[in-house]
């Protein structure tokens, strides 16, 4: 009987691989290996089903058990984000990890949901569509929670500026994000852009979205009431990105690069914008009992997750899926990653109201089936049963690996090769050279103005943007009545991560926390996107273990919980992994965005204060990279208690209206902070650094370029001086007056005593031209 | 002026959002007989003289490597107009 | 006083335009693309965005919508109509204003605070400005390059129909630095930059006095209030 | 599937910034023989059967009134492909 109906393998040209056929042909060869499954995983599927899987079931399991969907290598480490928390940290948490995105209570009946996700591999293959659909995907995650998406951000890592392939990726990625985000009408309020040769074959394209909702509008991705209808709506299903999840995201690509070009997805932001408005109207009408976006793994994921989350089952007729292309096989329909689709669970009594709303928006839909009492997912192709599985085994009980971990021996030598040990020359006594280094550092590609990129993003749409590029964090108003709003900053420094992944993750967290605090908001919650090499490499796994421990411990110390995140493994070319790049996003809340603190000097005659202590911490710094092309030593010391105290001070001072401006110190230290503060509004200043050198016992190079943490530059009006300094002293925050602001105008200057006087117009021209000269 | 004309279309099995939007608009206007629309590019390369064989071969290379993106598009035609 | 704010599928700045109308003191009437009548509004704003995805040509599909047909008829009868960005593109595609708008010279989207000179104050949407007043409002577009043939340009310049011109750098390659136009009658105005994003301190362009405090856009809406009251 | 193909180009005497940008890029790559580039659209209208005369006339009307904007563009060609 076996040779009668089934072809050898792959999609069925004629005849369908039904559950009956599968039971009768136990020994048929199946392409599980090509689909990315391991022998033991395939055997487990057979165990679960008591027979070999049908080709449709195999498609589902392979894609859902891929690293990207199942988190099989990272799961055991991600748990600690839920475990290392106090009850107090949970007080604002309405939905924690595990859902499409975490939800945080921000008061006044409002909640926000935010998450960052990677679209790295697709963005290397097809930068424009890869980045565009990355934005589309994360926005649907936010929408799924019942929220109106209100802003996006993008965290980008590109290869070296001088590599000829970098321009291709930069142009494609930036225009893809610009195209999709702008067409959706979501303000882009910030992000990161870093160039480093370690990302040459593995650019990182992470996208973040934040949404706002009233508490009562919270939606969950579950199907729990038998009889409810399963409805697929939005774009039609086509051949886009078939197998994308397992092939694109789970396998390291070989070095042959773009010649091996798998199917990509094409995004239609217009369709998504319509889908957003349509979904929000559906929510308002209260006609959906559960909702899930279709992202990676398409229908396989949506059906199994909805059923599994609801502890129920589902009966689905696959022939009823609206298709763009009638030749799609059932397996392809299950795997398709066509964009701009959603799945809703709708009580039958609400179908009419549902239909009226989707018709108004000219959104197509089809009823695929219904929720059933039994915890089983049945999918039919016409009369034939092609899937009959327990949904939990697909969606949640996938494999979990405790992969081998090995301490990388090379790290000792790397840590030993500090800036001091390597004897890197300093220009302490040569003012001319020091001034030249300052310009070289702040105009280097990673430090120079990113306005060529950010000017391609709409940051006005919505009319609620209170802060955006180039400020320390992005801030949007949530309530037009009260001014209640949220601030978000994201950070990651791969160089620190390479030197010490535990500290690297904490440094990213500390910086994002500080950026939110400088803007006047109170940090409340954390998201992350962990970008690493291959988990099959024990040294990478060690880096991952360290980074997740660092982040979890750090969040506990700061008292803010991780609400969700994303893991991207296999970011490597051949054997060479990227630097560990844990992107950490911190969200803060502000009672009235009118109170936000600018990141630049605005007025003449204000005093400039440096908060915090400067140590000789130049290992891994921008200075060591730009001036000496060096990476070695240990990253700056992390002091989370100090960060918290500093954050509390900033919050207190901003509540009292004492801060005319505040800007955090991070990459390239004080030098970068003063240049950015002066160029922000074109206000000059006179700065002296000798008192820092004396008080902290550091030389001029360290005073200018050290990347010691826990430092912020603030400006304070004369009338608030005494009060402000008193506040710092009372709270034990080191405070030192290092300058005073001057006026604006064509002759405005940044005068750094004993080093140089910089004309602002000239400095601005250099700071602004680096990126356009490379990519414009 | 002689020109080499390069015609580029989105790949058949990928979504063409632009074509879809125009097809919808035509359907709203009552043109039911137009089942589907796809929109690509028509690129004219103007040359000084009538293109030689070598120039055409060069144009083919430019069309494949630069004027179109092989991941999502196909060059469907190259021809000369004088 | 009732001002209609149009929403096509893909319109993005409708909520901002509605806010601007409210701040100026008028009542907002939402108009949907499928509306065949204008619900007795005294003026209409066509806001920015990507109507119908802006596929084919920006504004081309929206120009066919029922509400646009109604607006064209009403505008020809004197109803004040303001087209902002995508709304300007719709006006041009509906031939209420001449010329066309094409891809920016730099080939990419550009969002920045833009200085403009108000060159005509005899329209329903510009009468609250002073002639040659310099204002700053946000600009954000991918296809904002204004083009027209030589004859049309001559007429526009000769008859004073250029309402706004870019200052301190032409952001998109528009001919003669044209940022916005009015029609002969003065009831229809279209421009690429966004007045509705400069109506509320805290959320507008930077000014010398404070971050994001620019509200130069408010005058557009104050103008139409005056125009309608005086009409 | 039969299709009516409509080709639209920007008017010869108006700016075509996209064509100019591509021409500049080709010149930087050393293709000096390509004097100028202009970029338009190739629009495929898919029909159920081989288009009739009436359908072609209708397509011509759609091309002139909707698929192109006569102020800035010209329909340079309409033809059928089966
Ligand atoms: N790809 C990007 N998208 C959006 N905003 C960006 C991007 N890259 C940088 N920015 C913005 O530019 C500014 C400077 O970036 P950066 O120097 O990395 O900030 P910080 O040091 O405070 O983290 C910030 O406001 C940041 O949000
Ligand atoms: Mg910062």
């Amino acid at each position: 009987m076996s040779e009668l109906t089934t072809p050898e393998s792959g999609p069925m040209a004629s005849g369908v691989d039904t559950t009956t056929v599968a039971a009768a042909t136990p020994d048929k060869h199946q392409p599980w290996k090509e689909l990315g499954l391991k022998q033991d995983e395939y055997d487990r599927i057979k165990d679960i089903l008591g027979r070999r899987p049908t080709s449709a079931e195999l498609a589902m399991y392979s894609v859902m058990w891929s690293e990207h969907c199942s988190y099989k290598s990272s799961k055991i480490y991600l748990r600690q984000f839920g475990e290392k928390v106090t009850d107090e940290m949970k007080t604002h948490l309405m939905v924690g990890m595990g859902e499409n995105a975490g939800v945080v209570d921000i008061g006044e009946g409002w909640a926000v949901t935010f998450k960052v996700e990677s679209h790295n591999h697709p963005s290397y293959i097809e930068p424009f569509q890869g980045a565009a659909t990355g934005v589309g995907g994360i926005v649907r995650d936010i929408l799924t929670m019942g929220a109106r998406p209100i802003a996006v951000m993008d965290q980008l890592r590109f290869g070296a500026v001088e590599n000829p392939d970098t321009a291709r990726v930069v142009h494609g990625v930036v225009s893809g994000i610009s195209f999709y985000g702008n067409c959706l009408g979501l303000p882009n309020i910030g992000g990161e852009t870093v160039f480093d040769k370690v990302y040459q074959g593995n650019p990182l394209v992470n996208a973040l979205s934040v949404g706002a909702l009233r508490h009562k509008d919270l939606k969950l991705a579950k199907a729990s009431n038998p009889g409810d209808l399963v409805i697929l709506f939005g774009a039609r299903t086509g051949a886009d990105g078939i197998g994308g999840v397992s092939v694109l995201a789970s396998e390291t690509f070989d070095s042959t690069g773009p010649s091996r070009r798998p199917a990509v997805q094409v995004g239609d932001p217009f369709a998504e914008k319509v889908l957003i408005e349509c979904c929000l109207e559906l929510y308002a009408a209260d006609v959906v009992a559960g909702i899930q976006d279709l992202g990676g793994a398409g229908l396989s994921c949506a059906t199994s997750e909805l059923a599994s989350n609801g502890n129920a089952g589902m009966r689905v007729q696959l022939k009823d899926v609206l298709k763009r292309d009638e030749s799609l096989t059932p397996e392809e329909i299950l795997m398709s990653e066509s964009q701009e689709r959603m799945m809703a669970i709708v009580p039958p009594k609400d179908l009419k109201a549902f239909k009226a709303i989707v018709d108004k928006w000219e959104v197509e839909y089809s009823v695929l089936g219904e929720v059933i009492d039994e915890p089983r997912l049945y999918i039919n192709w016409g009369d034939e049963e092609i899937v009959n599985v327990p949904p939990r085994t697909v969606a949640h009980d996938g494999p979990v690996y405790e992969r081998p971990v090995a301490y990388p021996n090379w790290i000792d030598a790397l840590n030993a090769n500090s800036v001091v040990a390597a004897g890197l020359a300093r220009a302490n006594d040569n003012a001319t050279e020091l001034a030249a280094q300052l310009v070289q550092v702040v105009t280097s590609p990673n430090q120079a103005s990113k306005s060529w990129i950010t000017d391609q993003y709409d940051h006005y749409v919505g009319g609620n943007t209170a802060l955006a590029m180039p400020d320390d964090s992005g801030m949007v108003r949530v309530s037009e009545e009260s001014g209640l709003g949220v601030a978000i900053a994201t950070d990651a420094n791969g160089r620190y991560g390479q030197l010490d992944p535990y500290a690297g993750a904490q440094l990213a967290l500390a910086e994002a926390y500080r950026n939110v605090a400088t803007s006047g908001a109170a940090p409340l919650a954390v998201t992350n996107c962990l970008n690493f090499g291959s988990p099959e490499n024990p040294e990478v796994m060690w880096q991952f273990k360290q980074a997740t421990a660092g982040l979890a411990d750090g969040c506990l110390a700061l008292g803010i919980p991780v609400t969700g995140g994303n893991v991207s493994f296999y970011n490597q070319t051949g054997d060479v992994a990227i630097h560990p790049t844990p992107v950490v996003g911190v969200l803060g809340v502000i009672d009235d965005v009118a109170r936000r603190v600018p990141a630049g000097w605005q007025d003449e005659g204000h005093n400039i204060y440096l908060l915090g202590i400067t140590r000789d911490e130049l290992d891994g710094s921008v200075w060591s990279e730009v001036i000496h092309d060096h990476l070695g030593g240990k990253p700056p010391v992390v002091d989370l208690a100090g960060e918290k105290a500093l954050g509390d001070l900033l919050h207190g001072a901003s509540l009292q209206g004492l801060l005319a401006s505040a800007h955090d110190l991070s990459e390239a230290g004080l030098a970068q902070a003063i240049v950015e503060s002066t160029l922000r509004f074109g206000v000059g200043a006179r700065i002296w650094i000798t008192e820092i050198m004396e008080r902290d016992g550091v030389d001029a190079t360290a005073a200018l370029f050290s990347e010691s943490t826990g430092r912020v530059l603030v400006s304070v009006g004369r009338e608030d001086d005494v009060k402000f300094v008193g506040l710092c002293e009372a709270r034990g925050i080191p405070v030192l007056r290092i300058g005073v602001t001057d006026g604006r105008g064509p002759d405005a200057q940044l005068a750094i005593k004993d080093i140089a006087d910089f004309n602002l117009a000239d400095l601005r021209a250099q700071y602004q031209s680096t990126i356009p000269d490379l990519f414009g | 002026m002689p020109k080499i004309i390069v015609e580029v279309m989105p790949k058949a099995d990928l979504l063409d959002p632009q074509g879809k939007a125009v097809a919808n608009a035509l359907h709203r206007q009552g043109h039911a007989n137009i089942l589907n629309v796809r929109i690509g590019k028509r690129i004219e390369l103007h040359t000084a003289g009538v293109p030689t064989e070598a120039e055409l071969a060069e144009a083919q290379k430019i069309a494949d490597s630069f004027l179109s993106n092989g991941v999502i598009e196909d060059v469907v035609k190259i021809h000369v107009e004088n | 006083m009732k001002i209609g704010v149009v929403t096509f599928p893909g319109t993005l700045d409708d909520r901002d335009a509605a806010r601007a109308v409210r701040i100026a003191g008028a009542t907002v009437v939402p108009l949907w693309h499928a509306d065949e009548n204008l619900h007795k509004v005294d003026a209409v704003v066509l806001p920015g965005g990507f109507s119908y995805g802006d596929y084919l040509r920006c504004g081309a599909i929206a120009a066919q919508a029922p509400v646009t047909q109604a607006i064209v008829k009403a505008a020809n009868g004197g109803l004040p109509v303001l087209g902002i960005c995508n709304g300007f593109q719709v006006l041009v595609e509906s031939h209420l204003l001449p010329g066309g708008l094409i891809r920016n010279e730099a080939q990419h989207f550009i969002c920045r605070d833009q200085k403009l000179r108000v060159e005509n104050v005899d329209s329903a949407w510009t009468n609250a400005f002073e002639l040659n007043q310099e204002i700053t409002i946000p600009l954000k577009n991918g296809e904002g390059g204004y083009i027209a043939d030589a004859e049309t340009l001559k007429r526009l310049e000769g008859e004073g129909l250029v309402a706004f011109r870019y200052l301190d750098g032409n952001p998109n390659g528009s001919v003669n630095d044209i940022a916005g136009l009015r029609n002969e009658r003065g009831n229809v105005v279209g421009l690429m930059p966004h007045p509705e994003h400069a109506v509320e301190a805290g959320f507008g362009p930077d000014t010398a006095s404070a971050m994001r405090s620019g509200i130069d856009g408010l005058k557009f809406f104050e103008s139409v209030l005056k125009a309608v009251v005086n009409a």
Side-chain angles (χ1 to χ4, degrees), chain A, chain B, chain C:
Chain A
M1 144 148 211
S2 65
E3 57 273 28
L4 285 180
T5 46
T6 53
E8 270 311 296
S9 69
M12 309 285 137
S14 62
V16 174
D17 194 23
T18 64
T19 50
T20 322
V21 172
T25 57
D27 300 325
K28 192 177 95 85
H29 170 74
Q30 295 191 285
W32 49 268
K33 227 186 202 151
E34 292 79 345
L35 288 165
L37 287 168
K38 301 285 185 283
Q39 177 78 57
D40 57 330
E41 293 172 342
Y42 182 61
D43 292 342
R44 227 187 103 202
I45 298 170
K46 290 202 283 193
D47 259 9
I48 291 169
L49 299 177
R51 57 170 164 79
R52 74 157 174 89
T54 64
S55 56
E57 289 166 343
L58 184 66
M60 287 183 84
Y61 278 104
S62 69
V63 75
M64 289 300 289
W65 286 12
S66 70
E67 186 64 55
H68 181 75
C69 291
S70 73
Y71 291 85
K72 57 191 169 190
S73 306
S74 54
K75 230 175 201 166
I76 60 167
Y77 299 106
L78 300 182
R79 272 185 204 136
Q80 57 191 318
F81 296 138
E83 290 160 4
K84 293 181 179 169
V85 284
T86 60
D87 285 344
E88 197 188 328
M89 284 164 72
K90 286 192 251 178
T91 47
H92 299 286
L93 206 56
M94 292 172 61
V95 174
M97 294 208 327
E99 278 287 339
N100 284 297
V103 180
V104 191
D105 177 8
I106 59 163
E108 300 178 20
W110 284 101
V112 290
T113 174
F114 75 128
K115 190 179 174 190
V116 55
E117 216 167 59
S118 69
H119 225 214
N120 302 340
H121 294 172
S123 299
Y124 176 63
I125 292 163
E126 168 42 36
F128 180 91
Q129 294 294 345
T133 53
V135 173
I138 189 65
V139 167
R140 282 195 301 282
D141 267 331
I142 294 307
L143 178 63
T144 301
M145 302 310 298
R148 172 179 279 282
I150 54 172
V152 294
M153 299 174 96
D154 57 311
Q155 296 71 28
L156 311 178
R157 302 291 184 283
F158 299 113
V161 290
E162 55 277 358
N163 188 297
D165 191 46
T166 302
R168 171 189 75 96
V169 182
V170 168
H171 282 121
V173 165
V174 171
S175 48
I177 291 169
S178 155
F179 167 68
Y180 207 103
N182 294 347
C183 287
L184 280 188
L186 294 176
N188 186 310
I189 57 169
E192 304 164 47
T193 310
V194 174
F195 301 92
D196 190 312
K197 60 182 182 303
V198 300
Y199 304 108
Q200 200 64 56
N202 281 94
L204 303 185
V205 176
N206 294 179
L208 180 149
S209 182
V210 56
L213 64 155
R214 303 295 300 169
H215 287 179
K216 63 172 171 44
D217 292 334
L218 181 66
K219 290 279 172 299
L220 294 176
K222 61 180 185 186
S224 30
N225 295 325
D228 281 3
L229 303 172
V230 177
I231 301 182
L232 181 64
F233 65 114
R236 287 182 168 236
T237 300
D240 314 55
I242 288 178
V245 169
S246 51
V247 179
L248 286 179
S250 279
E251 301 288 345
T252 310
F253 12 92
D254 47 44
S255 49
T256 55
S259 68
R260 207 186 98 201
R261 285 168 160 166
V264 293
Q265 304 112 289
V266 172
D268 179 357
F270 167 64
E272 179 132 318
K273 165 67 180 167
V274 170
L275 200 55
I276 291 173
E277 299 302 332
C278 176
C279 283
L280 291 170
E281 238 180 271
L282 291 171
Y283 300 160
D286 202 18
V287 295
V288 298
I291 187 149
Q292 169 75 305
D293 60 302
L294 275 80
L299 271 172
S300 299
C301 177
T303 51
S304 61
E305 282 194 356
L306 279 163
S308 176
N309 288 341
N311 292 317
M314 220 180 248
R315 211 176 269 287
V316 167
Q317 174 53 264
L318 211 53
K319 280 229 160 126
D320 289 338
V321 170
L322 298 176
K323 297 179 283 294
R324 222 167 58 224
D325 171 355
E326 287 305 320
S327 68
L328 289 177
T329 65
E331 294 81 1
E332 288 173 324
I333 295 170
L334 281 170
M335 306 267 272
S336 165
E337 295 187 353
S338 288
Q339 301 289 295
E340 295 96 21
R341 297 180 298 163
M342 302 283 275
M343 179 167 276
I345 304 300
V346 177
K349 66 169 173 50
D350 293 325
L351 182 62
K352 213 171 132 220
F354 179 93
K355 187 172 153 21
I357 293 170
V358 291
D359 284 350
K360 172 186 165 190
W361 289 98
E362 295 180 25
V363 167
E364 290 189 297
Y365 78 99
S366 65
V367 178
L368 297 189
E370 61 173 18
V371 180
I372 57 172
D373 225 345
E374 176 196 0
R376 204 124 188 124
L377 174 60
Y378 299 100
I379 300 181
N380 266 41
W381 180 249
D383 292 335
E384 325 229 47
E385 182 182 87
I386 57 169
V387 173
N388 176 345
V389 299
R392 264 208 91 72
T393 63
V394 180
H396 293 112
D397 294 340
V400 176
Y401 290 151
E402 188 166 353
R403 295 211 186 258
V405 164
Y407 179 79
N409 289 315
W410 48 260
I411 215 167
D412 294 335
L414 185 67
N415 288 158
N417 181 26
S418 69
V419 158
V420 172
L424 302 191
R426 303 188 187 201
N428 291 330
D429 304 321
N430 183 338
T432 317
E433 202 188 324
L434 209 49
Q437 286 192 356
L438 186 146
V439 172
Q440 200 184 335
V441 163
V442 302
T443 62
S444 65
N446 287 340
Q447 300 311 118
S449 167
K450 300 299 180 310
S451 59
W452 180 82
I453 294 172
T454 59
D455 283 357
Q456 298 185 43
Y457 303 154
D458 183 351
H459 51 265
Y460 274 108
V461 63
N464 289 312
T465 306
L467 290 174
M469 309 70 86
D471 295 316
D472 281 335
S473 61
M475 186 183 287
V476 277
R477 175 170 63 177
V478 171
S479 165
E480 291 200 30
E481 284 74 47
S482 66
L484 176 73
V486 292
I488 306 182
T490 72
D491 282 291
N493 183 325
R495 284 163 58 84
Y496 293 166
Q498 184 73 354
L499 298 179
D500 179 347
Y502 182 93
Q506 293 199 333
L507 287 160
L509 172 68
E511 189 182 340
Y513 184 93
R514 205 181 316 126
N515 277 319
V516 165
T518 53
S519 67
L524 201 63
V526 176
T527 185
N528 65 76
C529 187
L530 307 173
N531 303 279
F532 285 76
S534 167
E536 294 163 44
N537 175 345
E539 296 184 349
V540 169
M541 222 44 233
W542 176 84
Q543 292 174 323
F544 187 79
K545 181 181 171 196
Q546 292 299 105
T548 45
L551 183 56
D553 293 346
C555 288
L556 188 60
L558 290 173
I560 48 176
V562 173
T563 63
N566 179 245
V567 177
S568 173
F569 277 132
Y570 296 102
N571 293 291
Q572 60 180 61
T573 312
D575 286 338
V576 186
I578 60 161
H579 288 163
T581 311
V583 168
V584 180
V586 170
L587 176 139
V589 64
I590 181 164
D591 53 350
D592 184 357
V593 297
R595 199 170 61 64
R596 77 232 183 289
V597 181
W601 304 322
Q602 295 195 94
D603 302 289
E604 191 170 350
H606 284 188
N607 281 326
I608 300 167
Y609 292 95
L610 177 62
L611 306 180
I613 295 289
T614 304
R615 301 181 203 86
D616 193 296
E617 294 181 309
L618 289 160
D619 293 350
S621 67
V622 174
W623 176 83
S624 70
E625 180 185 24
V626 172
I627 306 295
H628 296 287
D629 192 18
H630 178 268
L631 174 61
K634 292 255 195 190
V637 170
V638 185
D639 171 13
L640 295 170
E643 296 286 357
K644 200 162 161 25
L646 179 64
D648 289 347
L649 168 87
L650 290 165
H651 192 241
S654 75
L655 272 176
Q656 295 180 44
L658 303 180
L659 304 177
S661 78
H663 190 25
D664 87 301
L665 268 63
S666 55
E667 270 130 50
L670 181 66
Q672 189 74 29
I674 55 182
V675 169
E676 288 176 357
S677 297
T678 195
L679 292 183
R680 179 70 178 89
F681 300 107
V683 169
R686 278 161 290 150
I687 304 282
W688 48 90
I689 61 168
T690 39
E691 288 172 35
I692 304 173
M693 294 162 62
E694 281 161 21
R695 184 194 66 181
D696 296 344
V698 292
D699 60 20
T701 299
L704 285 174
F705 301 114
S706 165
E707 298 182 4
S708 294
T709 61
R711 295 182 304 160
V712 168
L713 197 61
V714 301
S715 64
V716 177
R718 287 264 150 86
E719 64 283 7
D720 296 322
D721 236 23
V722 175
K723 219 167 162 192
F724 176 73
V725 174
L727 196 65
C728 295
E729 283 166 356
R731 292 178 181 241
I733 304 287
V735 55
L736 192 63
R737 193 168 80 104
I738 65 160
V740 59
T741 61
D742 281 338
R744 303 182 188 226
D747 298 325
Q749 278 197 340
L750 172 65
I752 308 180
K753 194 161 175 273
D754 302 331
I755 296 177
D757 297 348
F758 301 96
N759 173 277
L760 286 199
D762 295 345
L763 195 57
R764 180 186 304 284
Q766 292 182 70
Y767 179 68
Q768 294 279 8
S769 65
T770 305
I771 301 292
D773 285 354
L774 287 164
F775 302 107
Chain B
M1 181 170 297
K3 16 184 138 140
I4 302 171
I5 296 169
V6 178
E7 300 182 18
V8 175
M9 293 300 291
K11 271 193 196 298
D13 53 356
L14 287 179
L15 176 69
D16 171 18
Q18 180 162 213
K20 193 176 80 181
V22 171
N24 288 343
L26 290 175
H27 294 161
R28 275 195 302 271
Q29 292 166 34
H31 302 289
N33 55 331
I34 294 166
L35 304 181
N36 195 7
V37 178
R38 294 189 73 83
I39 303 188
K41 290 193 196 97
R42 181 183 191 276
I43 305 164
E44 293 184 359
L45 309 174
H46 297 199
T47 53
V50 178
T52 61
E53 276 303 307
E55 279 181 323
L56 261 177
E58 185 192 328
Q60 176 81 54
K61 251 175 65 186
I62 296 173
D64 291 335
S65 65
F66 178 60
L67 299 179
S68 72
N69 173 353
V71 181
I72 52 172
E73 294 171 325
D74 292 318
V75 176
V76 294
K77 196 163 157 196
I78 296 193
H79 58 119
V80 174
E81 219 171 68
N82 289 312
Chain C
M1 157 102 160
K2 298 195 294 181
I3 300 187
V5 174
V6 178
T7 301
F8 300 103
T11 293
L12 306 177
D13 298 313
D14 43 351
R15 296 198 295 157
D16 306 59
R19 186 189 294 117
V21 166
R22 274 197 307 272
I23 291 177
T27 306
V28 179
V29 177
L31 296 175
W32 180 236
H33 71 122
D35 285 346
E36 283 171 4
N37 82 72
L38 302 179
H39 305 290
K40 306 218 171 73
V41 294
D42 301 301
V44 168
V45 180
L46 288 159
F50 293 77
S51 54
Y52 303 92
D54 266 358
Y55 297 122
L56 191 63
R57 294 177 311 280
C58 299
I61 302 180
Q64 314 267 331
V67 77
T68 313
Q69 310 292 326
I71 289 169
V72 169
K73 232 174 97 193
N76 286 328
L79 184 79
V81 177
L82 174 67
I84 303 168
C85 194
N86 194 224
F88 184 23
Q89 292 161 339
V90 174
L91 292 177
V92 163
E93 281 286 342
S94 319
H95 307 300
L96 281 175
L97 292 172
L101 289 152
I102 58 169
R103 194 103 174 258
N104 292 349
E105 196 170 19
Q107 298 296 302
H108 56 69
F109 190 95
I110 182 154
C111 173
R112 71 180 200 201
D113 296 350
Q114 180 67 45
K115 205 161 169 195
L116 305 174
R117 187 168 51 231
V118 185
E119 299 217 335
N120 186 296
V121 294
D122 302 325
S123 85
W125 301 91
T126 58
N127 62 59
F129 289 107
E130 278 160 42
L131 189 62
N132 293 326
Q133 187 176 340
E134 295 184 2
I135 62 172
T136 300
I137 60 178
L139 170 121
K140 36 170 228 185
N141 64 63
E143 308 204 5
Y146 183 75
I147 53 168
D149 58 35
E151 208 175 299
T152 308
L153 276 178
K154 223 174 111 192
R155 185 170 66 83
L156 289 174
E157 296 289 1
E159 297 177 15
L161 301 181
V162 175
F164 303 96
R165 232 183 276 274
Y166 296 118
L167 289 182
D168 294 353
N170 180 335
N172 44 28
S174 292
V175 293
N176 296 8
D177 297 333
I178 290 174
L181 301 174
R182 47 159 251 177
N183 65 352
E184 289 82 352
R185 189 164 178 172
N187 62 316
V188 178
V189 169
L191 78 168
M192 285 317 293
H194 288 259
E196 83 286 13
H197 289 322
V199 295
E200 188 184 12
F203 305 92
D206 290 339
T207 69
S209 60
M211 174 170 67
R212 296 178 179 274
S213 59
I215 53 166
D216 288 346
L218 206 49
K219 285 244 169 354
F220 285 77
F221 303 94
E222 290 168 1
S223 295
V224 78
L225 262 73
K226 275 204 325 203
V228 170
V229 169
N230 294 340

